[in-house]
Amino acid sequence: MIIETTAREATRTQRFAHYFTLIYCALALFIGANLRDSALYAITPYTNSEVGITAFYPESWLFDTTPGVVLDVRDTQRAGFNTRINIRVLPFSPGMSVRNLIDTLALQRRIDLPFYKILSVSERAFGLDDITTIVDYTFVSDLDDPFLQLIPAVVIGEDVFIVRRNQVILVSFTADANTFDRDYAIFERFLETLDY
Amino acid sequence: MNKRLLLWGCLAGLLCLSPAFIQAQVAPSFDLNRILRATVLVMQVRTTPTTSYITCVSSGTLVTRTGLILTNAHSTIPNPDCTGDTLLVALNVREGEAPVLSYQAEVIQADPGLDIALLRVSAEINGRAVINENIDLPFVELAEGSSLNLDDTITVVGYPGLSGEDAATALSATVQGFTGEPRGGERAWVKFRSVSDTLAEVPGVFSGGGAYNRDGLLVGIPTTAPLARQASATACARFQDTNLDGLVNASDLCVPLGGAINALRPSDFALPLIRSASLGIDVTLPTAQNQAFVASGLEPRVSNLFFAPSANNDMPTTVISSLPSGTSSLYLFFDYEFMTPETIYELRVTIDGSTSAIFSLPPVRWSGGERGLWYIGLTGQSLPNGEYNFQLLVNGVSAGEAPPLQVGGGPEPLPTFRNIQFVLREGEQIFGNGYILGVGPIVDAQFIYDNMTTGLEWTAIWYFGNQEIARASEAWSLGSNGAQSTSVSDPAGLLPGRYRLALYIEGRLSSLADFTIAGSRADARPRVFTNERFVVASDINEALTARASTSVTNPPPSIFTLFDWEQIAPGTLWQLRLMVDNEVFFDQVTSWSQGENGSGFTVQIGSDTAIPDGTYEMELLMNNILLRSTTISVGIGQLPIDPFAEPEGVQLRGVLIDGDTGLGIPNATIFILSEAFSVIDFIYNANQLYSLTTTDRDGRFQFSRPLRFTVPYSVIISVDGYLPINADGVVVDEETPNPLDIIIYMTKG
């Protein structure tokens, strides 16, 4: 049997059609990636002129109002312990050190948080000029409703102490131990946007 | 295709909340489920360095969503029978299952004599502190227990025991009668009988629980106070190795359970405590604390038991030994001494030799003073014919028996004295009458006589305290019916204190009445308390010198009320009542513990922050007679909202299920928005929320805050990995089943 093939060049219209298809695909991928990023990294601005703080937190996080807390947001869509960021402003006088605040917080948290334990205390550069004190800690989160069968979660937290004249800005980040490393990027982005 | 079907299923599930669907449901008006869930088991625990063990148990009822628990005082405040130091609260987490230890609690208000305590959840069981404002527990509302009527059907709820399967239990009962006492009037106790098939008798551990009317409102607290010291083997339980000898036997602590309960303390008595706690008000009496009345320490005792057909101003109208058929009121009077709020007394009544549960009173706490005249009145129930024997037990030991009383036949026209009234007189001038008189030289006693005949010997004996001070005896020379008087006098003035007149006919006690002399004589009422006032001050020392105020614009953390006093004998019973907007939040009857004369008795009304706006009033009473009062207006002069009102509505609960796997979705958050917002308005701000909850490991959820009737809510369920479900206009009404169980299917997306 003899098979005969005849090569035939694509017409100009066909060639343009191929190019446009490729361009549309690239565009679609680009827009899709953009939409994904917009959804993932969408942020909501927060400004507190009384305290002098500006920050951006993830858009779909629940903005809570907790007495004594300047900003309190958490990811309610996250199953398990809600990843949480909050900011408090603590009084600070010349005779005090950050260490005093850490100890005071520890005294209160050992009452409020089951199995509270400080993992490490370190210092880290923050922004251009500041040196911050970082406290990593862990505790067990047990939700309050006694009528539901809830499994306590092991939580890792990080406190960032930023000294500002006679105040200390305490930025706290807490997340389930299983997702802490993954969620930490959110906290880093939050800190990058924090203006005080 | 399947996913689309599931989505429609989800929407249909939410539509089930719509009014059209809900109106088709028939809901019971009596929410037994909620009552059972609000019923808790309270354990008093003693902690030693090596172990913890239960010392006393009782039932209790949550009366606010923030964790206020109404229960008994005898099983919660440490005392010789309940020596624990910690209170633990077990919640009814699952219907029909044993309660689960969930919280620690503390006593914030209590009246040991009335045997009522108000606890507040203070920490989780692991010791972690709780913020009460953030707690959302099921609770019940109160109604006045004095509104109950004979033969009303009530539901008594509590825990029957301590074995593993003992879940909160509801028993039907009927009101059988009422028992009166000087403190509380004719309905100091409501007597009931179980008509339930489940339990013929209400077990002792029900004590502290709740009794509910047909509307599901708490009207009473089933009460008995078991004595650990004398608990029989059946009235207590040994289930712990308290001495750590490796055995559970007779040498271990026996937790008192108590016998059958047939009496309720009406909820009216608990209202002041709940109001005070709800307002965050704390009342202290610094003056009384400085010179507290020292109890004698002697064994409590009762004496001189006799019967009267009725009481007038807590005094017997006359003394009887028989009653005609059809009588529906009988009072047992007796003298008491050395009683304390921790004293436990019991009345056992037999009719023709058979014990009468209806007329008997189970072991209960003493709500009177240290000494005086007391009564137990059987009212609102017809007395069957027969021979009645009344026996009083104090701390489990027989303390006195009344002479037998015969009920039956027609009225007997016996010579009788009745209705003694006292008048303070100087010469021909009258300065006051009643049972509280000022200091003066002569007291006349006026009384009515019936069926007297000439020649009968009659005797009048006057007592000051327990000491006889005057006696007059003569043959009767007046007519058969009328009014007569006798008097006692002292030219130097009768001393302040408690007096008594006993009248006898032919050696038989016919009538008796007590009165108190206190204060200087004035017009209608003696001047016992003077210079009563409210002041605003930062502490008691400043209060003593501060100027009197009738209003204060900015509510301070504390206000003080002070008064001076004249000629009050130590030990005299007096009453202090505090009210805000005419609602009593403090009511105490106690023995006077100061000197006869003085000034600056101080009462502090304080709060952690600022006392609530309102019109505060202090009343000073003796023998139930209002002697003085004063008021102050704080802030706007009235409570800004009714802080005692709690919303009623429907509890929403259910399960969130993965539509593909059929398994529950754990740890998902469900939002209910306030009526002011719809789904499209939601910007993830907590201020927009009415309530939120998280599903448990099985996907179960429940909103403790009830959905109010006819209010449109929006619901948002948004979980990572699933298509969100949103709904506006979710409405419930009185016809909606309560609690409302729903199943919500989520579609992976």
Side-chain angles (χ1 to χ4, degrees):
Chain A
M1 179 184 286
I2 297 167
I3 297 173
E4 195 175 322
T5 59
T6 307
R8 224 176 34 175
E9 277 195 7
T11 65
R12 198 170 70 170
T13 308
Q14 285 174 320
R15 279 203 303 278
F16 273 111
H18 292 160
Y19 299 147
F20 279 126
T21 303
L22 289 173
I23 290 167
Y24 283 144
C25 286
L27 264 175
L29 283 172
F30 178 73
I31 291 168
N34 250 336
L35 282 173
R36 178 181 175 278
D37 282 354
S38 302
L40 279 179
Y41 305 118
I43 49 177
T44 299
Y46 169 78
T47 303
N48 188 323
S49 54
E50 192 179 334
V51 180
I53 285 177
T54 303
F56 292 85
Y57 64 87
E59 189 178 62
S60 60
W61 284 31
L62 182 70
F63 180 88
D64 222 331
T65 45
T66 310
V69 179
V70 174
L71 172 69
D72 189 5
V73 290
R74 61 189 166 116
D75 184 5
T76 53
Q77 294 183 42
R78 171 62 51 84
F81 179 82
N82 289 171
T83 304
R84 188 174 210 136
I85 296 172
N86 63 43
I87 297 177
R88 282 191 286 168
V89 176
L90 308 173
F92 192 71
S93 66
M96 290 175 68
S97 70
V98 171
R99 179 77 218 187
N100 300 140
L101 292 177
I102 294 169
D103 291 342
T104 307
L105 271 177
L107 288 175
Q108 184 58 42
R109 283 174 172 166
R110 78 188 173 90
I111 298 170
D112 297 341
L113 308 175
F115 298 100
Y116 175 74
K117 183 181 175 184
I118 292 179
L119 300 174
S120 67
V121 180
S122 59
E123 291 193 336
R124 191 186 300 167
F126 187 75
L128 294 176
D129 316 312
D130 293 334
I131 299 292
T132 61
T133 303
I134 310 290
V135 177
D136 289 316
Y137 56 92
T138 183
F139 65 91
V140 172
S141 166
D142 190 8
L143 296 175
D144 291 333
D145 196 333
F147 293 98
L148 298 174
Q149 297 175 16
L150 295 158
I151 308 289
V154 178
V155 176
I156 296 177
E158 182 170 294
D159 286 340
V160 178
F161 292 82
I162 305 166
V163 180
R164 188 181 69 167
R165 294 182 296 279
N166 58 348
Q167 288 181 327
V168 164
I169 299 171
L170 171 61
V171 189
S172 300
F173 171 70
T174 46
D176 191 304
N178 295 319
T179 62
F180 182 85
D181 291 337
R182 192 178 71 197
D183 291 349
Y184 193 76
I186 299 170
F187 185 50
E188 286 182 317
R189 282 198 296 276
F190 177 82
L191 288 177
E192 285 168 11
T193 67
L194 181 65
D195 189 19
Y196 53 91
Chain B
M1 183 64 182
N2 280 340
K3 289 182 178 179
R4 189 171 296 176
L5 279 175
L6 280 173
L7 184 61
W8 280 111
C10 299
L11 290 173
L14 280 171
L15 277 174
C16 290
L17 296 171
S18 70
F21 177 85
I22 285 163
Q23 279 166 9
Q25 308 293 313
V26 178
S29 58
F30 183 86
D31 188 356
L32 180 60
N33 179 277
R34 187 170 180 83
I35 290 170
L36 288 171
R37 281 161 44 81
T39 304
V40 301
L41 185 69
V42 180
M43 297 183 186
Q44 192 202 51
V45 174
R46 183 162 181 77
T47 306
T48 68
T50 51
T51 185
S52 291
Y53 54 88
I54 298 167
T55 48
C56 274
V57 290
S58 58
S59 299
T61 309
L62 286 157
V63 292
T64 66
R65 68 171 187 83
T66 55
L68 286 184
I69 297 166
L70 185 61
T71 185
N72 284 141
H74 75 260
S75 54
T76 49
I77 300 175
N79 63 76
D81 293 304
C82 292
T83 56
D85 48 26
T86 306
L87 295 175
L88 302 179
V89 177
L91 297 184
N92 181 17
V93 172
R94 296 273 184 275
E95 282 171 46
E97 294 181 8
V100 177
L101 277 175
S102 304
Y103 289 113
Q104 295 181 29
E106 59 188 3
V107 178
I108 56 166
Q109 299 278 339
D111 189 320
L114 293 174
D115 205 1
I116 294 171
L118 197 61
L119 317 182
R120 180 170 55 203
V121 165
S122 57
E124 291 183 11
I125 192 68
N126 56 20
R128 179 185 164 204
V130 297
I131 301 169
N132 290 81
E133 286 69 31
N134 294 348
I135 303 177
D136 227 355
L137 294 171
F139 64 93
V140 298
E141 293 177 71
L142 277 71
E144 290 188 354
S146 54
S147 62
L148 286 172
N149 295 308
L150 202 63
D151 295 329
D152 275 358
T153 298
I154 55 173
T155 303
V156 184
V157 182
Y159 287 90
L162 288 173
S163 58
E165 67 275 13
D166 283 331
T169 304
L171 304 173
S172 284
T174 54
V175 175
Q176 297 282 298
F178 304 94
T179 299
E181 285 180 346
R183 190 168 180 198
E186 287 194 355
R187 296 190 173 191
W189 296 98
V190 177
K191 307 298 288 299
F192 67 92
R193 185 171 62 87
S194 170
V195 293
S196 169
D197 296 333
T198 314
L199 287 169
E201 290 187 327
V202 176
V205 184
F206 265 58
S207 188
Y212 300 84
N213 63 14
R214 286 173 181 273
D215 296 325
L217 301 173
L218 183 74
V219 289
I221 305 156
T223 299
T224 188
L227 276 163
R229 289 164 279 178
Q230 298 179 4
S232 65
T234 54
C236 72
R238 285 189 175 86
F239 52 88
Q240 306 162 106
D241 180 15
T242 54
N243 59 3
L244 300 178
D245 64 353
L247 300 168
V248 176
N249 54 26
S251 56
D252 289 306
L253 176 77
C254 199
V255 177
L257 304 179
I261 304 175
N262 68 344
L264 304 176
R265 184 63 95 177
S267 55
D268 313 42
F269 293 95
L271 287 172
L273 304 184
I274 295 173
R275 285 190 190 110
S276 179
S278 300
L279 293 168
I281 288 176
D282 192 25
V283 177
T284 51
L285 281 63
T287 313
Q289 285 166 359
N290 291 340
Q291 299 176 33
F293 186 80
V294 179
S296 61
L298 297 172
E299 282 298 310
R301 62 185 184 214
V302 299
S303 59
N304 190 28
L305 285 72
F306 63 91
F307 293 104
S310 57
N312 178 21
N313 213 317
D314 296 343
M315 293 297 137
T317 50
T318 188
V319 178
I320 54 168
S321 58
S322 65
L323 279 171
S325 294
T327 303
S328 60
S329 158
L330 174 64
Y331 287 74
L332 171 70
F333 277 84
F334 56 89
D335 290 318
Y336 64 91
E337 281 187 297
F338 314 126
M339 302 290 255
T340 70
E342 292 180 352
T343 304
I344 293 171
Y345 79 110
E346 179 184 357
L347 174 67
R348 290 183 187 165
V349 179
T350 60
I351 304 173
D352 291 336
S354 301
T355 302
S356 167
I358 296 173
F359 297 122
S360 298
L361 192 65
V364 291
R365 283 279 186 98
W366 181 253
S367 60
E370 197 204 18
R371 68 181 71 213
L373 181 66
W374 193 257
Y375 69 75
I376 302 173
L378 313 178
T379 60
Q381 55 226 308
S382 184
L383 301 171
N385 291 348
E387 185 183 89
Y388 285 65
N389 281 286
F390 282 60
Q391 182 188 21
L392 276 176
L393 292 88
V394 175
N395 287 339
V397 179
S398 178
E401 282 191 48
L405 177 93
Q406 201 68 38
V407 176
E412 293 182 42
L414 290 173
T416 306
F417 294 143
R418 61 184 169 89
N419 292 38
I420 301 175
Q421 295 276 338
F422 298 99
V423 174
L424 178 67
R425 179 168 60 86
E426 184 169 4
E428 297 303 312
Q429 193 174 359
I430 303 294
F431 284 97
N433 57 29
Y435 298 94
I436 171 79
L437 304 172
V439 172
I442 304 170
V443 170
D444 286 339
Q446 298 172 339
F447 57 93
I448 296 170
Y449 58 90
D450 296 311
N451 309 315
M452 293 294 286
T453 54
T454 304
L456 281 175
E457 186 191 356
W458 72 284
T459 307
I461 305 177
W462 294 85
Y463 296 90
F464 175 53
N466 293 331
Q467 186 184 353
E468 182 180 325
I469 56 170
R471 176 187 288 251
S473 186
E474 58 186 285
W476 189 257
S477 59
L478 301 171
S480 63
N481 301 297
Q484 172 64 306
S485 68
T486 181
S487 61
V488 65
S489 64
D490 184 341
L494 293 161
L495 294 172
R498 183 171 62 89
Y499 289 78
R500 166 172 295 179
L501 171 63
L503 296 173
Y504 293 83
I505 300 173
E506 296 285 328
R508 171 179 60 84
L509 180 65
S510 183
S511 193
L512 177 151
D514 288 355
F515 66 98
T516 300
I517 287 188
S520 55
R521 59 179 180 268
D523 297 332
R525 299 271 177 260
R527 192 167 54 242
V528 183
F529 303 109
T530 56
N531 196 22
E532 65 283 355
R533 61 204 184 271
F534 274 100
V535 302
V536 179
S538 57
D539 58 46
I540 181 173
N541 294 325
E542 189 184 326
L544 289 169
T545 55
R547 285 178 49 201
S549 296
T550 54
S551 69
V552 53
T553 309
N554 296 319
S558 285
I559 55 174
F560 295 83
T561 179
L562 301 95
F563 59 85
D564 305 337
W565 67 94
E566 295 177 18
Q567 302 184 82
I568 307 177
T572 302
L573 288 178
W574 69 291
Q575 186 174 0
L576 170 67
R577 186 184 290 156
L578 298 170
M579 299 184 287
V580 57
D581 291 4
N582 296 319
E583 300 276 6
V584 177
F585 66 88
F586 183 86
D587 194 356
Q588 177 178 286
V589 181
T590 186
S591 299
W592 185 253
S593 59
Q594 311 296 305
E596 281 197 3
N597 299 286
S599 62
F601 191 103
T602 311
V603 179
Q604 181 175 8
I605 302 170
S607 170
D608 288 341
T609 52
I611 61 168
D613 288 2
T615 298
Y616 291 78
E617 183 171 7
M618 175 192 65
E619 292 184 345
L620 297 165
L621 304 93
M622 273 187 179
N623 286 2
N624 291 326
I625 294 167
L626 176 64
L627 296 176
R628 304 290 283 196
S629 68
T630 182
T631 61
I632 187 172
S633 169
V634 175
I636 61 172
Q638 65 180 48
L639 293 169
I641 53 169
D642 184 358
F644 312 124
E646 298 279 7
E648 55 180 7
V650 172
Q651 188 199 23
L652 180 60
R653 67 184 191 184
V655 58
L656 198 64
I657 289 178
D658 183 315
D660 285 346
T661 65
L663 299 174
I665 302 172
N667 301 311
T669 305
I670 305 174
F671 302 103
I672 295 181
L673 307 187
S674 302
E675 66 266 33
F677 303 97
S678 61
V679 171
I680 201 167
D681 301 321
F682 187 48
I683 56 168
Y684 286 90
N685 190 317
N687 289 332
Q688 299 174 298
L689 297 178
Y690 177 74
S691 185
L692 87 166
T693 189
T694 305
T695 56
D696 71 3
R697 62 180 181 144
D698 297 323
R700 295 187 180 281
F701 66 88
Q702 65 176 28
F703 292 91
S704 295
R705 193 173 182 191
L707 302 183
R708 286 170 291 161
F709 297 134
T710 68
V711 174
Y713 295 101
S714 298
V715 179
I716 295 177
I717 309 168
S718 180
V719 190
D720 260 356
Y722 294 88
L723 296 176
I725 295 178
N726 306 321
D728 284 323
V730 175
V731 179
V732 296
D733 61 20
E734 287 86 347
E735 302 298 317
T736 307
N738 192 6
L740 181 60
D741 284 299
I742 58 171
I743 300 172
I744 301 172
Y745 292 94
M746 299 286 290
T747 306
K748 283 206 169 85

